[in-house]
Structure formats: structure tokens, C-alpha cells
Amino acid sequence: MVVLGIETSCDDTAAAVVRDGREVLASVVSSQIAQHAGFGGVVPELAAREHLRAIQPVVETALRESNCTLQSIDAVAVTNCPGLVPSLLVGVSYAKGVAAARGCALVGVNHFLAHIYGALLDADLGVVRFPVLALVVSGGHTALALIEANGAARILGATLDDAAGEAFDKAAKILDLGYPGGPIIDRLAKQGNPVAIHFPRPLMGGTGRPRREEDRFNFSFSGVKTALLYAVKGRVVTAAEMSDLVASYQAAVVDVLVAKTLDASREFRAGTVVVCGGVACNSRLRQEFAAAFAGLELPLRIAPPRLCTDNAAMVAGLAYHSLRHGVTSGFDLAVRARLDHDLETVPFAPGVA
Ligand code: KG4
Ligand code: ZN
């Protein structure tokens, strides 16, 4: 089954053609970084206008690269939540147009679950052990989710304020380093000392546990950002200090992500741990997760970088599993900004009825 996937939830216009949920025949991403860089963040209306401009050429390129035509695809899948509403509307309306013209199935896809599937796209799902504990770290989300073998899924904890990606992007804005901050900080931090400056590890507490039990799997990054702001306020930062600052800041963010994921993996007896989303590209995060899970009999799957940041292969791939179970969307498919903490049944779990 060949699925055309479309992704426009934030600032990347993406299309992909995926066969049977695994074989990526083409995956095209058109980035809007240049358009938003001057603002230091994504401007929703501008993003929607750019999607309108980019979507047709991006889909055409994906079809051409995959040697497919609209006639040869079996279904069209599109991210319909969570995300920026004006951006989502462009992709969803386009996908409805394709489905109507072609008379093929339409599948609305949850972007958060698609990120998780991105880390498993290359995997043999038959050998993936459940429950799967997933850390999703992107510009829009930071959350730990647990997926049971029967497809039941729930959010164990999430950020109370900024997402991890936002923590990097806002730090880069404070330090005037450019946009998006994550990759810039990642690069600069390589020359710095990660223990040079102490930054707080929020909601971890001195012993690794937060004061309030209900925050055990929650995150908070706005305090680290404020600490950074005070560390540089009113003074000139030298180049050497700058790399120490960002290395220490990055270490604080990564420490919290690793510690909470490890804690949750033990508490919920995870069979597999998945790390995904744009921030999972971070080189220190990848090293620290690999080191923390190295001695454990617990498979760790960090999404490959091309499937960490927003893409449509993860959308088309996840939709294949919905289609396998006969789950499709109607033309009344709506868009939604927020992540619903009662996640829908995850279609790639082995025990889905
Ligand atoms: O998943 P994604 O492409 O979009 C959302 O769904 O939000 O994630 C984008 C986020 C941005 O905040 C960006 O700064 C961050 O991922 N990011 C990184 C790295 N590459 C991208 N953060 C840290 N280190 C990186 N290497
Ligand atoms: Zn994303």
C-alpha cells in the first residue's frame, strides 16, 4: 500500500511517499527557517502563507522522486493535530482536495504519535518490545508517553512551560546567536565546558526526585532560561565564555531529559525506550542517552536525524497502520492546536484489535 503523507503543522512544508509503512520512496521537506529567522521564532500567519506557496511543488517533487503519480497512490495522510491552526488548515485542505479528486482514503494523523513512529519506522515492529516509553522533544512538545501492547497510550508527564526546543531557541535569542537555536547551540557547545557554569535542573530535586510527586515526570525549562538571562545580563560575553555558557546550558537540559526518561522506564517497566522530535538531533543528548542506557537490558531507539525533525515520512508511515485496521477520516476532518493527553489508540502496537 502506497501512502502520500503531508505535513504542515509548524514551519516545514513536507510531503513523502511511503510503501507499507516502512519503505520511504521519497521524503521532501521545504524549510521556512529563512522567513522566520528575523523574528526569532515561527510567526503563524507567515507560516501558513508559506505553506500555501510551497505545498504544490513539494508534493510534485515527492511524487516525481518516488516515480509515483496521484493515480498510483492508495491513500493520502495528513497531520491534523497538534500544531499551528493556520498551518494545519493548509495541509488538511490540500489533502482533502487530493482525496476528493482521486476518490482515495484520507487519514488524519496525530503529529505527536507520528514523531514516535519516526523512531520505529526502520524497525522490525514484530520484535519491538512493549510497553514503549517515548520521550518526544521538539520545538512544540516535551513529553513522556507510554504505549501499551494493546495500543492504549497516555502522557505520563509533559512540560509545564517551555518545550526543550523552545529552551534552546529562546536561549539562542537571548545570546543573539541566531535561529533556530538548537543546532547552533549544539555546534558551539562542542568547544565549551559543560560543567563551567551551574544551571538548575528543574523538577529533578537534589536527589533526582521533585518536591511534588505529581511533577515526577513533568518538565520545566523556563527557569533555566531565566538563569541564563541573569548570567549574561548587562555584560559582554567573550567567545570562550559563550561556548562554556551554551555547553553548560545544554548539559542542564539534557540531564533532566535523561534522568526523567530513565526514572519512567523503571517505574513503568518499559520494554523499549524511544527518543524523537527535533531536539533528539542534539549530539550531547544522543551521547548521554546512549551512555545512560548502555548497561541496561532495555533497547533504546533514538530516531535517525532525518526522522527527528518534522517530515512527512513519519506521517505516511503511521497512517499505513491506521489503514491496515480500516481506520480512515471523513471529509469533516478537523484541525486541533493542542495535544490531547488522552491519546488515541496507537495503530502500530501489536495487540490492536
Ligand atoms: O520536531 P521539530 O522539527 O518541530 C516541532 O515539531 O517542533 O523540532 C524543532 C526543534 C527546534 O526547537 C530546534 O531548535 C530543535 O528542534 N533542534 C535541536 C537540534 N536540531 C533541532 N535542538 C537541539 N539540538 C539540535 N541539534
Ligand atoms: Zn514536530
Side-chain angles (χ1 to χ4, degrees), residues 111-138:
H111 182 80
F112 181 86
L113 294 181
H115 268 299
I116 298 174
Y117 185 71
L120 297 167
L121 197 142
D122 295 333
D124 177 356
L125 281 174
V127 301
V128 172
R129 292 209 309 254
F130 283 72
V132 169
L133 173 71
L135 172 70
V136 182
V137 270
S138 68

Side-chain angles (χ1 to χ4, degrees), residues 2-20:
V2 177
V3 179
L4 169 67
I6 292 170
E7 157 63 45
T8 64
S9 67
C10 189
D11 62 338
D12 291 307
T13 316
V17 181
V18 179
R19 179 180 286 135
D20 295 341

Side-chain angles (χ1 to χ4, degrees), residues 91-343:
V92 168
S93 303
Y94 185 95
K96 285 182 182 178
V98 170
R102 268 282 286 104
C104 69
L106 172 73
V107 185
V109 170
N110 180 316
H111 182 80
F112 181 86
L113 294 181
H115 268 299
I116 298 174
Y117 185 71
L120 297 167
L121 197 142
D122 295 333
D124 177 356
L125 281 174
V127 301
V128 172
R129 292 209 309 254
F130 283 72
V132 169
L133 173 71
L135 172 70
V136 182
V137 270
S138 68
H141 304 284
T142 294
L144 278 164
L146 192 74
I147 303 170
E148 307 283 354
N150 66 1
R154 65 196 161 105
I155 302 282
L156 303 174
T159 183
L160 303 177
D161 39 60
D162 292 344
E166 263 181 296
F168 282 113
D169 297 340
K170 289 181 177 173
K173 195 168 179 179
I174 291 169
L175 300 171
D176 216 5
L177 293 174
Y179 174 83
I184 300 170
I185 288 176
D186 191 350
R187 227 173 17 251
L188 251 183
K190 291 199 168 84
Q191 290 130 43
N193 174 3
V195 295
I197 300 138
H198 178 75
F199 283 107
R201 269 66 173 161
L203 303 186
M204 248 170 77
T207 58
R209 288 282 188 90
R211 260 195 307 263
R212 296 186 327 157
E213 182 58 22
E214 64 259 41
D215 284 332
R216 185 167 163 197
F217 303 117
N218 284 336
F219 301 87
S220 166
F221 293 109
S222 70
V224 203
K225 179 192 64 192
T226 308
L228 174 75
L229 186 63
Y230 281 115
V232 298
K233 205 170 172 203
R235 63 188 196 86
V236 179
V237 180
T238 66
E241 273 179 315
M242 184 63 91
S243 32
D244 283 351
L245 259 178
V246 296
S248 303
Y249 183 86
Q250 175 179 267
V253 173
V254 169
D255 270 4
V256 178
L257 297 174
V258 172
K260 295 211 173 223
T261 307
L262 204 51
D263 185 22
S265 72
R266 293 191 180 116
E267 177 72 18
F268 296 97
R269 298 177 197 283
T272 304
V273 170
V274 155
V275 186
C276 57
V279 180
C281 287
N282 185 268
S283 45
R284 185 178 174 93
L285 176 146
R286 299 179 84 88
Q287 280 161 14
E288 294 294 305
F289 264 96
F293 285 80
L296 310 178
E297 296 236 331
L298 177 55
L300 169 71
R301 294 194 71 97
I302 309 179
R306 70 179 193 289
L307 292 166
C308 280
T309 44
D310 287 348
N311 65 88
M314 64 187 191
V315 175
L318 179 58
Y320 164 76
H321 294 278
S322 298
L323 288 157
R324 219 164 38 83
H325 294 292
V327 177
T328 60
S329 306
F331 283 106
D332 58 349
L333 177 67
V335 302
R336 201 177 63 235
R338 298 189 67 81
L339 176 68
D340 193 343
H341 277 211
D342 292 324
L343 289 166

